[in-house]
Amino acid sequence: MNITHKNVILLLLALALILTPFIVQQGADFAGADGKAQEIIGEVQPGYQPWFSSLWEPPSGEVESFLFAVQAALGSGFVCYYLGYLKGKAVSEKRQG
């Protein structure tokens, strides 16, 4: 099995993992964990007051989503760069003997 076949199989597995929840749980609410936690806290203790507030809050939901996406992109970029560095280092050491 060559590398292309392995990559295609991994891609298909990734797509299956992504699509399975949408097929199995059709019509489910895929809200974020923050909203779910806030909802449960409201049910458990209706008069709950947060004991602190954020130093800065994004001006809109779009800015918040943008910042979250930038954070995810930077994190994945760092991880991928480091994995590539390790692979390049291993190949270099293998060539040198």
Side-chain angles (χ1 to χ4, degrees):
M1 184 179 302
N2 65 17
I3 192 75
T4 303
H5 289 114
K6 289 179 183 176
N7 286 338
V8 169
I9 290 171
L10 288 174
L11 181 64
L12 291 174
L13 286 174
L15 285 173
L17 286 173
I18 292 169
L19 295 176
T20 299
F22 293 109
I23 295 169
V24 173
Q25 296 288 328
Q26 289 183 356
D29 183 21
F30 290 102
D34 292 344
K36 292 286 187 185
Q38 191 175 21
E39 182 180 311
I40 291 173
I41 289 171
E43 291 174 7
V44 172
Q45 192 170 6
Y48 175 77
Q49 294 292 324
W51 54 277
F52 76 98
S53 62
S54 301
L55 297 175
W56 179 77
E57 292 201 19
S60 68
E62 290 82 14
V63 173
E64 186 176 355
S65 297
F66 170 74
L67 292 174
F68 184 78
V70 168
Q71 178 186 2
L74 289 174
S76 63
F78 175 78
V79 169
C80 290
Y81 173 80
Y82 186 70
L83 291 175
Y85 171 77
L86 290 179
K87 180 160 176 77
K89 186 177 175 182
V91 168
S92 175
E93 289 175 358
K94 188 176 179 181
R95 284 184 185 163
Q96 291 178 355

